[in-house]
Amino acid sequence: MAYITLTDINKIYPNGFHAVHNFNLEIEKGEFIVFVGPSGCGKSTTLRMIAGLEDISKGDFLINGKRVNELGPREREVAMVFQSYALYPQMTVFDNLAFGLELQGVDEDVIEQRVEKTAKILGLTDYLDRLPRALSGGQRQRVAVGRAIIRKVGIFLMDEPLSNLDAKQRVTMRSEITQIHRETGATTIYVTHDQTEAMTMADRIVVMKEGYVQQVGTPYDLYFNPVNVFVAGFIGEPPMNFIRTVVKEGAVRIGGKEIDLSFKLGEHLAEWEGRPVVFGFRPEAAILGEAEDACVLGGSVELTEMLGDNSNVYVTMKEDRVILKVDPHDTPETDSDITFSIPHKSIYLFDGETENVINV
Ligand code: ATP
């Protein structure tokens, strides 16, 4: 039995807006789950329903096999970290950490021990006497995380906890949260719109769009086996290249080159005749020059971006434009004509109507 079970969860706001549709997920004890998707896709709404801060309009929410739909936030044994930190400004770090335990009536010496231990895990020992306004954004975020972990609840919920931090602090806090998760073993559900956070932190990722779950899987699954154009385009940076085209005589024409699709569609090739498809490949799959067992394409270099560990090369191929990620030492000249290859195994084909991946 899963630790947390969400079955056909729906949220319809009082104004009639249907924000979450039939959300289904089983979470094992100790898992780190990330909800990811663009703004407004329903991530926070789902998390808030789990926290007990929003009613569940329809569906069942079970913890340890027990239906908890009607329980209030305090009775659910969950702790939540918000984007805004939500610290008490007039209380010191020590008191911010201790407050939840005091409310629970925990003994003073136990509180002291737990605050010290939590502060140590989070590197806050030297700041216990300070007020939040005398802390940096990263330190405040640590206090907010500390307030959640000090309660030793089984479920830890985080809503974009790193979004107020600068890029460098985000990278540091990202690995710290992963480390804290490893130490505490608490089941964690983490909301972000940042696919890098999702990929680096999650055991499993839930990709959402417009209130619907698109795919649930490990970072590896989502990167290598996306179920549709949306997931394929959401995971990966720069995003996957998509070329919309139509199958004609068993092939598609891309940038004036004819690509025979039998390597992908095999005996199903005839079924796709005359139908729209989306031809996809990741920028990092491109090999400059001609390669074996690959689709060979070509175009004109419009722009290059040297990023140090790689270069992004923007290539126009007649009406299509793609990005290739290449070794910086091989960066081609702007305005030059280049040939490049995409290994057959790195090519994705999606149904142009449903946008679902074609797996034959
Ligand atoms: P973001 O990353 O911007 O926080 P999100 O994926 O977390 O986005 P939600 O905050 O869950 O999105 O919102 C989902 C949808 O529900 C949005 O279209 C939002 O406008 C709508 N919504 C949120 N709260 C309410 C409310 N109280 N009443 C009506 N609609 C709401």
Side-chain angles (χ1 to χ4, degrees):
M1 186 186 63
Y3 180 47
I4 296 175
T5 310
L6 298 150
T7 309
D8 288 332
I9 298 286
N10 282 265
K11 178 67 188 182
I12 303 162
Y13 279 110
N15 68 356
F17 184 73
H18 200 152
V20 177
H21 299 256
N22 297 333
F23 188 103
N24 286 292
L25 185 66
E26 294 203 336
I27 301 174
E28 297 301 327
K29 207 171 182 113
E31 261 195 298
F32 197 118
I33 299 285
V34 177
F35 294 170
V36 73
S39 182
C41 70
K43 316 177 285 290
S44 298
T45 301
T46 308
L47 194 75
R48 291 171 62 81
M49 286 193 281
I50 294 171
L53 300 171
E54 286 291 350
D55 290 339
I56 297 171
S57 310
K58 220 162 62 186
D60 295 312
F61 172 32
L62 280 68
I63 299 179
N64 259 335
K66 206 176 111 213
R67 192 172 188 272
V68 293
N69 284 46
E70 273 74 43
L71 290 189
R74 288 200 177 275
E75 299 149 314
R76 286 192 193 187
E77 287 296 297
V78 299
M80 184 145 168
V81 181
F82 297 92
Q83 175 178 343
S84 59
Y85 316 142
L87 302 181
Y88 298 106
Q90 75 285 13
M91 288 187 193
T92 62
V93 170
F94 184 100
D95 291 336
N96 264 286
L97 291 173
F99 189 63
L101 300 180
E102 281 164 8
L103 284 185
Q104 288 173 18
V106 177
D107 282 348
E108 222 166 275
D109 47 339
V110 176
I111 292 181
E112 203 156 308
Q113 277 169 18
R114 298 245 297 256
V115 168
E116 270 167 26
K117 178 142 187 259
T118 306
K120 199 161 165 215
I121 293 175
L122 291 160
L124 289 169
T125 307
D126 294 339
Y127 304 96
L128 286 172
D129 295 333
R130 289 209 197 167
L131 291 175
R133 66 164 180 271
L135 298 175
S136 71
Q139 290 160 344
R140 276 180 221 169
Q141 193 54 51
R142 268 185 221 146
V143 180
V145 171
R147 281 208 324 190
I149 62 173
I150 202 165
R151 288 178 50 207
K152 292 196 173 160
V153 295
I155 305 169
F156 204 21
L157 308 175
M158 301 200 211
D159 194 353
E160 307 234 11
L162 308 186
S163 56
N164 288 338
L165 304 182
D166 67 33
K168 216 167 168 187
Q169 284 176 324
R170 274 213 299 274
V171 175
T172 314
M173 271 307 281
R174 207 165 74 196
S175 57
E176 285 183 13
I177 289 177
T178 309
Q179 188 64 32
I180 292 164
H181 173 251
R182 221 171 272 151
E183 281 170 25
T184 59
T187 309
T188 305
I189 308 177
Y190 185 104
V191 162
T192 180
H193 60 267
D194 181 330
Q195 57 105 11
T196 311
E197 271 176 33
M199 290 294 277
T200 51
M201 299 170 92
D203 290 321
R204 284 189 303 148
I205 300 174
V206 179
V207 183
M208 296 181 72
K209 179 194 172 195
E210 293 169 7
Y212 289 91
V213 171
Q214 302 290 303
Q215 187 168 0
V216 180
T218 61
Y220 184 97
D221 275 342
L222 297 191
Y223 182 86
F224 288 103
N225 302 308
V227 295
N228 59 27
V229 169
F230 180 80
V231 176
F234 196 79
I235 303 288
E237 181 56 36
M240 186 184 281
N241 294 298
F242 297 115
I243 298 163
R244 288 172 194 278
T245 176
V246 173
V247 182
K248 235 187 232 164
E249 290 168 7
V252 287
R253 287 190 81 76
I254 295 175
K257 289 213 161 52
E258 186 131 321
I259 310 285
D260 184 331
L261 291 180
S262 49
F263 78 91
K264 193 82 191 167
L265 297 173
E267 61 194 46
H268 297 272
L269 194 57
E271 293 165 28
W272 288 91
E273 190 57 34
R275 290 169 66 183
V277 291
V278 182
F279 183 96
F281 65 90
R282 295 201 180 276
E284 51 274 35
I287 300 165
L288 292 174
E290 292 194 16
E292 299 270 316
D293 296 323
C295 291
V296 180
L297 297 167
S300 165
V301 176
E302 185 189 312
L303 177 80
T304 64
E305 294 170 338
M306 228 299 280
L307 297 167
D309 55 345
N310 68 274
S311 285
N312 290 336
V313 181
Y314 294 73
V315 179
T316 42
M317 307 187 298
K318 299 221 160 144
E319 60 277 19
D320 297 304
R321 185 175 190 249
V322 295
I323 305 179
L324 317 180
K325 205 166 167 176
V326 305
D327 186 311
H329 301 104
D330 301 334
T331 311
E333 295 287 327
T334 304
D335 291 331
S336 63
D337 288 330
I338 60 163
T339 300
F340 61 93
S341 307
I342 312 298
H344 285 160
K345 64 176 176 29
S346 302
I347 289 170
Y348 295 83
L349 210 56
F350 303 90
D351 181 327
E353 280 165 11
T354 63
E355 303 223 326
N356 290 331
V357 75
I358 304 170
N359 280 325
V360 295

